[in-house]
């Protein structure tokens, strides 16, 4: 699944943050006996207090820091908080985030530092650096594990009432879980994202972006576990139908609802049951324990009394699954590949009367006049065949089309299973590509892409 537009985080807690006192006030450090000398008091109190704008305040704070480093002044915390407040006033998210991180090295329970990191990570420009994601992850995990310590009475900022302080605890616990899950989404760690996003959706079922990401995380794992496809479609369908303050916009809703409809039709073989499926996804945050969508191969197999009868009716699928995929994903797969499949024409003469495999188009590259097609042979939603052409194909086709092909097997990946074929145009049937409006016409020779990522099998002479 491709996300063509970046989804903006919509966190309800931020909408009420001002009323809960989330903003670090840009206040002047208090005068008192903690000044080291008159010169420090002049910088931190007199000069700072005379400033009329934030630039002046930052200039004075920088002079103070240079003259009286943290290991010299007793007012390092008040000064750090002044920095944090001014950066917030200036909407300088980068410097505020870094200052908050610095404060937490000495004061891990500092409320405004934690708030600045958990809410501020979203305001930093994408792509987010590994260091910033780690800071957000560690801060979120710390609060989840230590919320009682963070929100102890002794840590309450002076500008918050006891009622506001009590309200903040559950708000920040939810924000921490969302941020913790979001970090793994940014890292494209689908298994970990699935675990943490599930916690978010169970606690806050109407957070549409997180529901969508949960569906995407499951769908991205379909190559290794095709059984995740039905649940993936469930969550995407729910995200596309949710309304309220955290809903996707109208364009996003249509995009993802179209994706669900098309993928359901491809996976199931028809739109039968689609309306009931959409209604259940909209009404229930999580699918029932017995929820599934039968794939079209399973439905087809049910028409036959036994496996043998199905294999006779679908010799191409039986050959792909039993004679190609099963041995190549076993412990001796590389040896079997070199001895039997590498550089061989498939299906060739292996199946009497069968000259082509059938596959469902999943993606193409480039999108118009492609030279690479990715198909699902055994499962229409799981990519297991990559077709590479020397000359680009004409136009483009919508995913879900059923194509037939034969080709020379050039490389394979065992996990997730995928074979790359070199295919000539005459070896492909069913391609009816049409150029989109405004596209450049003509034939082109495209550079063949590399094989799918994975450990390459040892080189050897194939048969």
């Amino acid at each position: 699944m491709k996300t063509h537009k970046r989804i903006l985080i919509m966190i309800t807690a931020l909408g009420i943050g001002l009323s809960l006192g989330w903003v670090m006030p840009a206040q002047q450090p208090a005068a008192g006996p903690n000044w080291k000398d008159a010169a420090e008091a002049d910088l931190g109190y007199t000069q700072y207090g005379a400033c009329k704008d934030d630039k002046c305040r930052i200039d004075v704070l920088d002079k103070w820091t240079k003259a009286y480093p943290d290991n010299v002044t007793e007012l390092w915390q008040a000064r750090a908080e002044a920095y944090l407040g001014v950066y917030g006033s200036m909407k300088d998210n980068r410097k505020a985030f870094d200052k908050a991180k610095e404060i937490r090295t000495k004061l891990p329970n500092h409320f405004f530092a934690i708030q600045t990191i958990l809410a501020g990570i979203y305001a930093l420009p994408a792509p987010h650096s590994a260091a910033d994601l780690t800071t957000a992850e560690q801060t979120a995990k710390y609060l989840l594990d230590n919320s009682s310590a963070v929100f102890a009475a002794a840590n309450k900022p002076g500008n918050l009432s006891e009622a506001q302080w009590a309200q903040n605890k559950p708000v920040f616990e939810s924000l921490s879980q969302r941020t913790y899950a979001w970090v793994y989404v940014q890292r494209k760690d689908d298994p970990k994202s699935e675990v943490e996003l599930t916690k978010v959706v169970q606690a806050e079922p109407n957070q549409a972006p997180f529901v969508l990401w949960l569906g995407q995380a499951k769908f991205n794992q379909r190559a290794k576990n095709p059984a995740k496809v039905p649940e993936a479609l469930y969550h995407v369908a729910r995200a596309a139908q949710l309304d309220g303050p955290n809903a996707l916009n109208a364009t996003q809703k249509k995009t993802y609802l179209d994706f669900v409809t098309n993928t359901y039709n491809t996976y199931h073989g028809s739109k039968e049951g689609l309306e009931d499926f959409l209604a259940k996804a909209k009404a229930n945050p999580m699918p029932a324990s017995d929820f599934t969508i039968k794939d079209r191969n399973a439905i087809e197999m049910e028409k036959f009394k036994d496996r043998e009868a199905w294999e006779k009716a679908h010799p191409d699928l039986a050959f792909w699954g039993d004679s190609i995929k099963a041995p190549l994903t076993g412990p001796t797969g590389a040896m079997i590949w070199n001895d039997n499949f590498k550089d061989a024409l498939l299906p060739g003469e292996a199946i009497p009367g069968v000259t082509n495999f059938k596959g469902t188009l999943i993606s193409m590259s480039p999108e118009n006049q492609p030279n690479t097609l990715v198909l699902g042979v055994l499962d229409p939603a799981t990519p297991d065949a990559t077709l590479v052409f020397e000359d680009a194909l004409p136009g483009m086709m919508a995913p879900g089309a059923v194509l037939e092909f034969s080709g020379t097997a050039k490389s394979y990946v065992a996990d997730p299973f995928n074979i790359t074929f070199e295919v000539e145009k005459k070896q492909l049937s069913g391609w009816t590509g049409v150029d989109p409006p405004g596209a450049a016409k003509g034939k082109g020779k495209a550079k063949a892409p590399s094989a799918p990522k994975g450990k390459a099998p040892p080189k050897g002479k194939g048969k």
Side-chain angles (χ1 to χ4, degrees), residues 189-241:
D189 185 338
D190 294 311
K192 185 67 174 177
S193 292
E194 179 183 350
V195 172
E196 299 305 328
L197 288 166
T198 297
K199 296 176 185 177
V200 174
V201 173
Q202 288 174 335
E204 301 181 89
N206 294 327
Q207 287 280 1
F210 291 87
V211 178
L212 174 63
W213 287 328
L214 177 57
Q216 290 176 323
K218 287 177 177 287
F219 193 78
N220 291 343
Q221 299 174 72
R222 68 193 184 281
K224 292 185 177 182
N225 189 353
K228 288 186 179 291
V229 171
E231 289 189 1
L233 292 181
Y234 186 98
H235 293 297
V236 177
R238 177 170 171 76
Q241 298 179 91

Side-chain angles (χ1 to χ4, degrees), residues 354-373:
V354 177
T355 57
N356 290 320
F357 291 117
K358 288 184 179 180
T360 301
L361 180 63
I362 294 176
S363 65
M364 66 205 84
S365 179
E367 290 189 357
N368 187 45
Q369 299 183 12
N371 73 308
T372 304
L373 306 180

Side-chain angles (χ1 to χ4, degrees), residues 220-410:
N220 291 343
Q221 299 174 72
R222 68 193 184 281
K224 292 185 177 182
N225 189 353
K228 288 186 179 291
V229 171
E231 289 189 1
L233 292 181
Y234 186 98
H235 293 297
V236 177
R238 177 170 171 76
Q241 298 179 91
L242 284 172
D243 296 317
N246 297 308
L248 307 180
N249 64 40
T251 300
Q252 293 164 346
K253 285 184 176 183
K254 183 180 184 306
T255 296
Y256 290 110
L257 197 57
D258 287 347
F259 165 80
V260 170
T261 300
N262 294 335
T263 306
Y264 181 100
N265 185 46
T266 299
Y267 185 82
H268 188 62
S270 72
K271 293 183 180 179
E272 180 185 6
L274 176 61
E275 292 303 318
D276 180 61
F277 161 73
L278 292 174
K280 287 181 178 177
K282 184 176 182 179
N284 302 286
M286 302 298 289
S289 59
D290 59 349
F291 166 77
T292 190
I293 302 172
K294 289 185 179 179
D295 69 79
R296 66 187 190 188
N297 289 334
I299 294 172
E300 184 70 14
M301 191 177 294
E302 289 178 353
K303 298 178 182 178
F304 300 89
K305 294 182 179 179
D306 52 37
R307 171 76 182 186
E308 184 177 355
W310 181 85
E311 289 180 354
K312 288 181 179 180
H314 301 280
D316 55 333
L317 292 178
F319 178 63
W320 184 275
D322 298 341
S323 301
I324 298 179
K325 181 177 180 179
L328 290 182
T329 53
T332 58
M335 181 179 67
I336 293 172
W337 168 262
N338 286 319
D339 290 345
N340 296 278
F341 297 112
K342 190 176 188 300
D343 294 324
L345 176 65
L346 296 176
E349 300 178 355
I351 317 170
V354 177
T355 57
N356 290 320
F357 291 117
K358 288 184 179 180
T360 301
L361 180 63
I362 294 176
S363 65
M364 66 205 84
S365 179
E367 290 189 357
N368 187 45
Q369 299 183 12
N371 73 308
T372 304
L373 306 180
V374 177
L375 308 181
V377 176
L378 203 58
D379 182 322
T382 303
D384 53 8
T386 300
L387 314 187
V388 178
F389 299 82
E390 183 177 5
D391 296 315
L393 298 169
M396 62 186 300
M397 290 183 69
V402 176
L403 306 175
E404 295 189 21
F405 73 94
S406 63
T408 302
K410 301 305 294 184

